[in-house]
Every structure is written in C-alpha cells, then in structure tokens.
Amino acid sequence: ERAPLLQAPWRLLEELLDEARDWPALADLLKRQEKAFRRYPDELARITARQAEVLRQVGEAAAADRLLERQTRAIDDDRDDLARTLTTARIQNAIDRGDVTGAREQLEDLLKDQKEEGQKLMRLLDDYLTLTRDTGQTTEAVRFLKRYLDAQLTPDDPPRQEAERLLKEASGG
C-alpha cells in the first residue's frame, strides 16, 4: 500500500514541529494526519498516542485521557496490539498526572483483557511489577496477582511457574 510512502513527509514535519516545541502547530498537523490516515489503524493508533502526548505537554492531561479512551474503544476486537499501545499511553498519562493508583488499576484491567494472549503477558506483568514496586503498591499487586493466577489458565498462558516467580518477587520473597 501507499501509506508507508506517505508517512515520511508527515513524520518529518512532526519532528520539526516537535523540535521547535510548537505544540499548537503540532496538534494541528496531527489532526490533519488523523484524517489522512483514518483507514490505517496502526498509523491511527500511533497518531492518537502522539496527540495525547502533545495534549499532556500543554497541560491537557484529562483531554489526552479522553482521546485515548475513545480511540481504544473504537479499535476492532482482533487488534489487541493497538489496544495495548493506546492503553499503555493512558497508563503513562495517569503516571504523569501523579495518579499511580489509577495507572495500576488500568494496567490490571489491561492484564485481565489480555489474559488470552499467552507469552505477550510476560512483558505486561513485568511492567506491572515495576510500576507497583516503584510506587509502593506491592500489597495491592500481591492481592491482584493471587486472584489473577487462581483464574483458569489456558495452554497458551505463560508458564505458571514463571508467573508464580513474578508473584514471589512482588511479595518480596
């Protein structure tokens, strides 16, 4: 398709405006990009995450979160990778706002939603443990992971021993 060829000039403009820290012009460019690439879900997810980043730069964290939430809901169910990308941006938005509890809860929701994704969960679990350790939420993490591990595992889920090792690590053992 032609989309990759068309991305280069847009990205160049994006970089120039970013370097100039011209947030209003960058926001306008991203809105035009959103319209131009509306038929390309991967690029649209990247643009949306970038729009949210710009909104955070200008102090509009709540608007960034609404944008990411709206776009996450609009993603097809079979594109869990894009949902993960946008949810990760929402989690970062919560952290940037100082809402570490909200970030943890969003990551827990993502883990629940992605439960059928097998080995892909290991990176999410690692991110979860890092977040909860760094923000002093290990007690909550241990409670969540116990419930999470007690749930029915599928053959594609990460090996239970690996998940239990992560739980032990989170509980300080």
Side-chain angles (χ1 to χ4, degrees), residues 13-169:
L13 284 171
E14 210 177 301
E15 285 178 37
L16 291 171
L17 292 171
D18 192 35
E19 287 173 12
R21 302 179 70 77
D22 188 346
W23 307 128
L26 183 54
D28 180 61
L29 175 72
L30 291 167
K31 187 153 287 294
R32 289 184 289 139
Q33 254 184 301
E34 180 181 23
K35 289 177 186 167
F37 290 96
R38 68 184 172 279
R39 293 188 183 149
Y40 302 94
D42 295 77
E43 187 62 12
L44 193 55
R46 186 200 68 78
I47 292 166
T48 300
R50 192 74 174 95
Q51 286 174 314
E53 205 177 296
V54 170
L55 286 169
R56 283 194 305 270
Q57 288 288 340
V58 296
E60 297 287 335
D65 200 44
R66 285 190 305 274
L67 173 69
L68 291 166
E69 185 176 355
R70 184 185 75 230
Q71 192 62 32
T72 302
R73 283 194 313 263
I75 292 173
D76 288 337
D77 289 341
D78 62 340
R79 292 306 308 266
D80 64 293
D81 59 323
L82 299 181
R84 240 186 339 270
T85 297
L86 294 177
T87 301
T88 300
R90 288 186 66 208
I91 291 166
Q92 187 59 53
N93 192 31
I95 291 169
D96 291 348
R97 287 193 324 264
D99 182 11
V100 293
T101 300
R104 176 184 50 79
E105 290 169 348
Q106 287 181 40
L107 196 43
E108 289 172 354
D109 289 342
L110 181 60
L111 282 164
K112 290 176 202 169
D113 290 345
Q114 301 285 310
K115 191 162 184 97
E116 306 294 322
E117 296 304 315
Q119 291 293 338
K120 295 175 188 176
L121 286 176
M122 295 315 294
R123 180 166 180 256
L124 286 175
L125 282 169
D126 191 47
D127 291 347
Y128 178 73
L129 291 174
T130 300
L131 171 72
T132 55
R133 183 190 62 230
D134 292 351
T135 60
Q137 299 183 79
T138 53
T139 302
E140 294 86 348
V142 169
R143 263 190 245 125
F144 171 75
L145 288 172
K146 281 182 180 176
R147 286 190 315 271
Y148 190 74
L149 291 173
D150 285 341
Q152 182 70 30
L153 293 175
T154 69
D156 292 328
D157 284 336
R160 189 175 190 92
Q161 290 172 328
E162 180 68 10
E164 287 172 345
R165 181 192 63 75
L166 291 171
L167 175 59
K168 187 176 180 182
E169 180 184 306

